[in-house]
Amino acid sequence: MCNSLVNKYNVAGPRYTSYPTVPYWDNTSFSLKQWKESLSVSFNESNTTEGISLYIHLPFCESMCTFCGCNKRITKRHDVEGPYIRTVLKEWSLYCDLLDGRPKIKELHLGGGTPTFFSPENLEFLIKGILRKANLAEDYEFSFEGHPNNTTRKHLQTLYNLGFSRVSFGVQDYNETVQKAIHRIQPFDNVKQATLSAREIGYTSIGHDIIFGLPFQTEAHVAKTIELTKALMPDRIAFYSYAHVPWLKGNGQRGYKEADLPSGASKRAQYELGKSLLSKTGYHEIGMDHFALETDSLFRAMKTNTLHRNFMGYTASKTQAMIGLGVSSISDSWYGFAQNVKGIEEYYHLVEQNIIPVYRGHILNTEDLIVRQHILNLMCHFETKWTDMSLYIDELKDIAIKLKEMEDDGLVELQKDAIKVTQKGQPYVRNVCMAFDVLLQRRQPETRLFSMTV
């Protein structure tokens, strides 16, 4: 990897799970009424054919992992489980009443926090309550994030019996020094037991999440982690770049200094090493940060051009509407975004008042929709085509200048009405997307908003 390219393109930038990105949402003109109308339109257009995706945020954790930027509540009190689940189910009822029909669920994902903080019995109560008001698509997929230290065989069996076929386990790194720095002590044997149990029960897609660029992490650590991972051969691997965003409120990234983090060049070397080792083992790179075996649905989605990306990350199929339940969850109607309040007490209060607990969002205009599709194409397929963007986007010349510079650096190939990201440019796909991000170009942030792209 050329260090000059790393230095040139290692800038703060979005990960593009949405466009517009959250800091550029127009919250001033957004209203709950607009969001409801947006979702209703999308539901009526797509529920019969596609179905919807459902994301449920389960925020509780027993301890703080200091690499994590997610919304969470640290507690060892498990009496919080019941009230939270009952509130999520009531929020779901509010959405079902709004949509005036039985949603057809195509994808359902439990994220966190730590979903396996909750007991198997309470998770069963949650899922049965959700399904009581919904139908299932023929090719539905249920998935959840499991902490290897507390995901029991009963968790796995209970969720499998409810229709879950995919689980991802957070590994991060197996080196003890790195684990201590990120406050995530997790022996390989725990990951092995959880992985083998899931496979024995019948899960068809088991994922491991690995992070590079962590404090004190070296290329040797990455190599050792992947070597141990190969012994278990998960179906897919998320090989994430550590996003250092300690300025975000509620973030736990305080247990180490920036000087403890690998440099941009070292971090990119860790990625290149990991990518090479995974490729030699039979994993194929999928979009950004993801790798999968040929037998996994994510690989098949890449081959059939059905790969999709939303706030849940990469998914093997597309739904136009995604509803997020629970604190801080983000919903997406394609035409608009809406995020729930982040405080649990406020969340309880609003739902108890029969109010969908949204506190901010954005309704997309014509320009937003065009740019969103191009960025989605680039993130999922590494290419996009257009006819006449100049009808809607004034900065077309600026985009062309940025892309020409990237072409000169060998990152993209430009055609008359299309762009393709080269293999050399794939690690910089976030930078390519930034060239299309007209909102970012119009208003550069005055403070740090995003993690570094490398």
Side-chain angles (χ1 to χ4, degrees):
M1 176 62 66
C2 177
N3 285 344
S4 62
L5 283 181
V6 172
N7 294 333
K8 179 177 181 178
Y9 289 104
N10 188 24
V11 298
R15 300 187 70 87
Y16 291 111
T17 49
S18 75
Y19 181 86
T21 55
V22 175
Y24 288 90
W25 286 0
D26 182 6
N27 296 298
T28 56
S29 62
F30 174 83
S31 68
L32 177 58
K33 180 176 181 291
Q34 287 179 313
W35 164 242
K36 289 180 178 180
E37 292 171 350
S38 168
L39 181 62
S40 294
V41 169
S42 185
F43 179 80
N44 291 332
E45 288 178 349
S46 64
N47 183 60
T48 302
T49 53
E50 292 180 347
I52 69 165
S53 295
L54 193 62
Y55 171 79
I56 304 175
H57 190 71
L58 302 174
F60 301 109
C61 300
E62 287 196 347
S63 64
M64 172 76 81
C65 299
T66 58
F67 68 90
C68 178
C70 299
N71 180 278
K72 64 266 182 188
R73 174 74 63 90
I74 308 301
T75 181
K76 293 186 182 296
R77 292 182 49 189
H78 284 264
D79 58 355
V80 299
E81 296 180 29
Y84 188 82
I85 286 177
R86 288 191 291 272
T87 307
V88 167
L89 290 176
K90 183 166 184 180
E91 183 190 3
W92 175 237
S93 293
L94 294 175
Y95 271 113
C96 291
D97 291 343
L98 167 68
L99 300 174
D100 193 26
R102 289 178 66 85
K104 183 171 69 174
I105 298 176
K106 187 169 187 178
E107 293 180 321
L108 185 151
H109 183 71
L110 305 180
T114 306
T116 46
F117 172 97
F118 289 74
S119 70
E121 293 79 11
N122 278 330
L123 290 175
E124 181 176 21
F125 180 74
L126 169 64
I127 300 305
K128 284 186 174 179
I130 293 290
L131 298 182
R132 199 169 291 123
K133 291 179 174 290
N135 297 321
L136 292 177
E138 290 184 10
D139 54 347
Y140 72 90
E141 182 178 78
F142 291 179
S143 59
F144 74 98
E145 299 166 10
H147 192 318
N149 287 356
N150 66 14
T151 300
T152 65
R153 191 176 183 96
K154 190 173 182 181
H155 277 113
L156 291 162
Q157 188 67 63
T158 298
L159 291 172
Y160 179 79
N161 293 344
L162 291 165
F164 284 74
S165 60
R166 189 168 69 80
V167 57
S168 60
F169 295 115
V171 171
Q172 326 321 340
D173 186 284
Y174 285 118
N175 179 266
E176 291 185 8
T177 300
V178 176
Q179 288 189 354
K180 287 178 182 177
I182 63 176
H183 202 235
R184 178 77 172 229
I185 308 301
Q186 187 169 272
F188 171 74
D189 285 346
N190 290 5
V191 181
K192 179 179 179 180
Q193 181 177 350
T195 299
L196 295 183
S197 293
R199 191 166 284 144
E200 289 168 4
I201 287 170
Y203 282 78
T204 56
S205 181
I206 300 168
H208 285 188
D209 295 349
I210 302 172
I211 299 179
F212 63 92
L214 289 168
F216 307 109
Q217 195 177 36
T218 66
E219 290 179 58
H221 297 151
V222 172
K224 182 64 174 179
T225 294
I226 291 178
E227 179 184 344
L228 290 170
T229 300
K230 284 161 53 178
L232 301 177
M233 288 300 287
D235 301 277
R236 65 175 72 171
I237 292 172
F239 189 41
Y240 289 119
S241 167
Y242 167 60
H244 191 59
V245 287
W247 56 86
L248 293 182
K249 184 179 179 181
N251 199 303
Q253 297 175 347
R254 299 288 194 277
Y256 39 84
K257 305 182 292 292
E258 292 211 19
D260 299 326
L261 300 173
S263 66
S266 297
K267 190 176 181 183
R268 181 50 57 184
Q270 290 179 12
Y271 163 78
E272 291 294 338
L273 173 63
K275 177 181 176 179
S276 174
L277 293 173
L278 290 171
S279 177
K280 291 176 182 177
T281 311
Y283 290 95
H284 297 265
E285 191 167 20
I286 312 292
M288 181 184 76
D289 301 335
H290 287 67
F291 295 79
L293 297 174
E294 291 185 4
T295 52
D296 191 78
S297 61
L298 210 59
F299 175 81
R300 294 193 296 271
M302 181 187 71
K303 285 298 185 182
T304 57
N305 217 34
T306 57
L307 192 67
H308 186 57
R309 183 171 173 84
N310 55 28
F311 284 103
M312 295 191 291
Y314 284 106
T315 63
S317 59
K318 169 187 171 293
T319 62
Q320 184 169 299
M322 185 189 82
I323 295 176
L325 302 177
V327 291
S328 76
S329 287
I330 298 178
S331 299
D332 176 2
S333 70
W334 184 258
Y335 306 116
F337 301 114
Q339 183 171 24
N340 282 356
V341 294
K342 296 185 177 182
I344 291 177
E345 291 73 21
E346 185 181 7
Y347 172 71
Y348 286 169
H349 174 73
L350 290 171
V351 175
E352 182 62 30
Q353 301 300 311
N354 295 316
I355 299 171
I356 292 176
V358 164
Y359 86 105
R360 66 175 176 177
H362 180 88
I363 301 301
L364 282 75
N365 59 31
T366 301
E367 178 192 273
D368 293 337
L369 290 167
I370 292 172
V371 175
R372 178 183 190 181
Q373 186 62 63
H374 287 304
I375 287 179
L376 182 63
N377 292 344
L378 289 166
M379 293 298 292
C380 291
H381 313 302
F382 293 122
E383 60 183 19
T384 192
K385 300 178 180 179
W386 58 83
T387 50
D388 192 359
M389 290 172 59
S390 61
L391 294 174
Y392 304 98
I393 300 171
D394 295 333
E395 290 86 352
L396 191 60
K397 288 184 179 179
D398 296 331
I399 294 174
I401 292 172
K402 292 177 183 293
L403 294 179
K404 183 63 174 67
E405 184 175 358
M406 291 181 180
E407 184 180 45
D408 293 340
D409 288 331
L411 306 186
V412 301
E413 295 175 358
L414 296 180
Q415 301 170 6
K416 182 180 178 182
D417 60 350
I419 173 178
K420 183 175 183 179
V421 182
T422 65
Q423 187 171 1
K424 180 181 178 181
Q426 287 180 12
Y428 301 99
V429 66
R430 288 167 68 182
N431 302 84
V432 180
C433 291
M434 288 170 66
F436 285 83
D437 190 339
V438 293
L439 295 178
L440 181 64
Q441 294 172 30
R442 289 171 192 160
R443 182 164 55 92
Q444 289 290 328
E446 297 178 358
T447 58
R448 294 181 70 179
L449 297 176
F450 307 110
S451 61
M452 303 302 282
T453 56
V454 175

